[in-house]
């Protein structure tokens, strides 16, 4: 996530206030200084819905609150975002065969 940031980066803690990621706290890189200090203004995160026989996939778009709350940046779903009520986070990890090692 931090590869698109010009200049030095620093990790920031963010919490999701609503939507499928509600309550999750993640550490996300952001600009370490300057007028845009902090994590990205918007984040798009993968979501899924339905069961394993008929799954759906998409994204939940979040917008950052203007200032951190005690060093924790808050994100809310963007207004007008089309996120189903039964949506859940959809984070996948590579299979062990892809991770290398023995």
């Amino acid at each position: 996530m931090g590869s698109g940031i010009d200049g030095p980066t620093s990790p920031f803690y963010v919490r999701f206030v609503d939507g499928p990621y509600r309550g999750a706290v993640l550490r996300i890189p952001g600009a370490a200084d300057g007028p845009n200090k902090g994590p990205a203004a918007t984040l798009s995160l993968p979501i899924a819905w339905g069961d394993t026989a008929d799954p759906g996939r998409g994204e939940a778009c979040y917008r950052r609150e203007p200032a951190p709350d005690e060093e924790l940046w808050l994100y809310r779903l963007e207004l007008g975002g089309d996120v189903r009520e039964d949506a859940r986070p959809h984070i996948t990890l590579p299979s062990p065969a892809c991770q290398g090692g023995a």
Side-chain angles (χ1 to χ4, degrees), residues 25-86:
V25 175
L26 300 175
R27 193 172 132 176
I28 296 181
D33 53 20
N36 296 323
K37 180 179 179 178
T42 60
L43 293 174
S44 294
L45 300 171
I47 57 174
W49 56 85
D51 58 23
T52 56
D54 187 25
R57 303 279 186 268
E59 290 184 337
C61 297
Y62 285 88
R63 181 162 301 281
R64 185 183 80 188
E65 294 287 305
D69 180 24
E70 297 181 14
E71 298 187 22
L72 186 68
W73 292 83
L74 302 178
Y75 281 77
R76 295 184 187 278
L77 276 175
E78 285 192 338
L79 293 177
D82 190 20
V83 176
R84 292 173 47 137
E85 285 188 33
D86 63 339

